[in-house]
Amino acid sequence: MSRSAHPAGPRYADVLPEGHHPAPPADLNALDPRVWSRTVARDAAGTVTVGGLDVGHLAEEFGTPAYFLDEDDFRARCRAWREAFGPDADVFYAGKAFLSRAVVRWLAEEELNLDVCSGGELSTALAAGMPAERIALHGNNKSTEEITRAVEAGVGRIVVDSFQEIVRVAHIAQKAGKRQRVQIRVTVGVEAHTHEFIATAHEDQKFGLPLAGGQAAEAVRRALKLDGLELVGVHSHIGSQIFDTSGFEVAARRVVGLLAEVRDEHGVELPEIDLGGGLGIAYTSEDDPREPHEIATALRAIVERECAAAGLAVPRLSVEPGRAIVGPTAFTLYEVGTVKELPGLRTYVSVDGGMSDNIRTALYDADYSVALVSRTSTAEPMLSRVVGKHCESGDIVVRDAFLPADLAPGDLIAVPATGAYCRSMASNYNHALRPPVVAVKDGTARVIVRRETEEDLLRLDVG
Ligand SMILES: *Cc1c(COP(=O)(O)O)cnc(C)c1O
């Protein structure tokens, strides 16, 4: 359970579990700019707009549920990361958070690089014109076909994740007459989660090669011997939704320690380190994420200090934010279908989507916020649980939230900060049709991923 503890108000103390959101917000009509994308606003008449467009009109035009992605906000976040890290570092957007051809073009224009971790993500990136040298391929079990396509396309690097893969990539590159740039994914023994991190001696997980016990050093030894590989560095990714840099500090120290070992043993200074992604965003008003420039300053200082202590030249740094770029830039718009009050418990608000468009609450017990956006209300706050329409009692979108007590079928409610890991993890459970992603900018809305149709479902079902 990753939630931070907050005392519940007396009125709800018997109902709200420990570690729950605090008492109802002072103003249910307020839209906290920390959790809504930059161009979302409620005007004096109470109308909520994004990119200058009325959400009620957007619902009419595009239907619900739907994701609305704020293009200006997305681009501004790309630029903030790019500028914070400067020309001596690379920012790779983690495509698994959300990927589409439009997004790839924005990334290319904003001079970010791109992480992919499957053949599907790779082909989307290439189809949208991302230069291959700016793409990195990840994954703990890349297929021979995926590696072959990546090598042939000329991706900038492959992050190798096992002893077998070192040989596999080397073999494929050699057959193609190439020398593939690779980094080795190492596990540094840091488990980072939201507000705390745990430094461990070894890590029990599927990714990477552990530093502890010497497997990472052995991987370097093997990679340096193979003609098909150009070993350029070491990669570490410690977790997700992280709010401070202390976990990165331990990771950087351990990674630089490996670089020093490599220098001592092989006489080579590997020129790159990647500290991964995982930077947190605000899902609720209680979350207080760091800005890219604060993260950049902290990470650079850590790496410089550790390298100075080890007598190493500072390697080229890269980072891989996914959620921190796309997460805050979108919200999901739903229509309320039913409102069911369970006296003394809470009110269940059912919407026209659910775990098929946002699995994170069911999967990780993630926190979200929600607001009534089709009108304002002066009604009392009502402790609510926003649930979907799926045949599963765990089909929860927002576990505990306050909505106005006059909420009724037909109202539109929106869940902010759904840009990352919502559409990309969406499913067809109950043969749900996955919602569209609509990009909004300067008074224009454009579908960048269309809504699925029943024909789409039937096309796969060959009878
Ligand atoms: C998932 C992942 C990321 C991005 O994580 P966010 O939490 O979205 O920033 C970056 N790098 C690697 C290797 C990952 O697996």
Side-chain angles (χ1 to χ4, degrees), residues 94 96 115 138 185 235 237 240 276-279 320-323 421:
K96 70 183 191 215
D115 272 355
H138 277 271
R185 167 92 178 244
H235 182 288
H237 172 73
S240 63
L279 287 316
E320 305 175 319
R323 180 193 323 265
Y421 306 109

Side-chain angles (χ1 to χ4, degrees), residues 174-344:
Q174 217 168 8
K175 256 195 354 203
K178 296 198 175 191
R179 229 173 140 223
Q180 178 62 48
R181 290 163 48 88
V182 296
Q183 289 187 341
I184 292 172
R185 167 92 178 244
V186 304
T187 40
V188 294
V190 172
E191 205 180 289
H193 210 37
T194 306
H195 297 289
E196 71 235 82
F197 78 93
I198 308 158
T200 57
H202 42 173
E203 268 185 304
D204 187 2
Q205 53 126 323
K206 70 173 185 171
F207 292 109
L209 289 149
L211 278 177
Q215 289 200 26
E218 176 60 19
V220 170
R221 224 165 272 139
R222 295 188 191 183
L224 284 173
K225 280 200 199 120
L226 294 167
D227 290 337
L229 304 183
E230 180 188 353
L231 178 63
V232 293
V234 178
H235 182 288
S236 152
H237 172 73
I238 55 172
S240 63
Q241 187 61 359
I242 303 165
F243 281 88
D244 72 42
T245 50
S246 49
F248 290 99
E249 180 150 5
V250 178
R253 189 176 317 131
R254 293 182 180 174
V255 164
V256 171
L258 176 63
L259 295 191
E261 265 179 60
V262 170
R263 175 204 49 202
D264 296 344
E265 183 180 339
H266 307 280
V268 269
E269 289 197 19
L270 298 178
E272 295 176 3
I273 62 173
D274 188 311
L275 292 178
L279 287 316
I281 63 165
Y283 285 102
T284 74
S285 298
E286 284 103 74
D287 295 326
D288 185 21
R290 303 275 71 78
E291 293 295 324
H293 68 90
E294 297 174 90
I295 295 158
T297 305
L299 293 191
R300 251 198 318 262
I302 294 164
V303 170
E304 281 167 14
R305 195 187 58 222
E306 295 302 323
C307 287
L312 286 165
V314 178
R316 189 172 179 86
L317 178 63
S318 52
V319 288
E320 305 175 319
R323 180 193 323 265
I325 291 178
V326 72
T329 68
F331 61 83
T332 313
L333 189 62
Y334 299 103
E335 185 178 308
V336 173
T338 67
V339 179
K340 189 184 285 177
E341 190 192 340
L342 300 184

Side-chain angles (χ1 to χ4, degrees), residues 7 26 30 69 85-86 91 124 177 223 227 284 299 309 327 341 382 402:
L69 177 53
F85 279 87
V91 180
T124 302
D227 290 337
T284 74
L299 293 191
E341 190 192 340
M382 160 177 88
F402 290 96

Side-chain angles (χ1 to χ4, degrees), residues 15-28:
V15 177
L16 290 174
E18 228 189 304
H20 181 284
H21 286 239
D27 178 5
L28 281 179

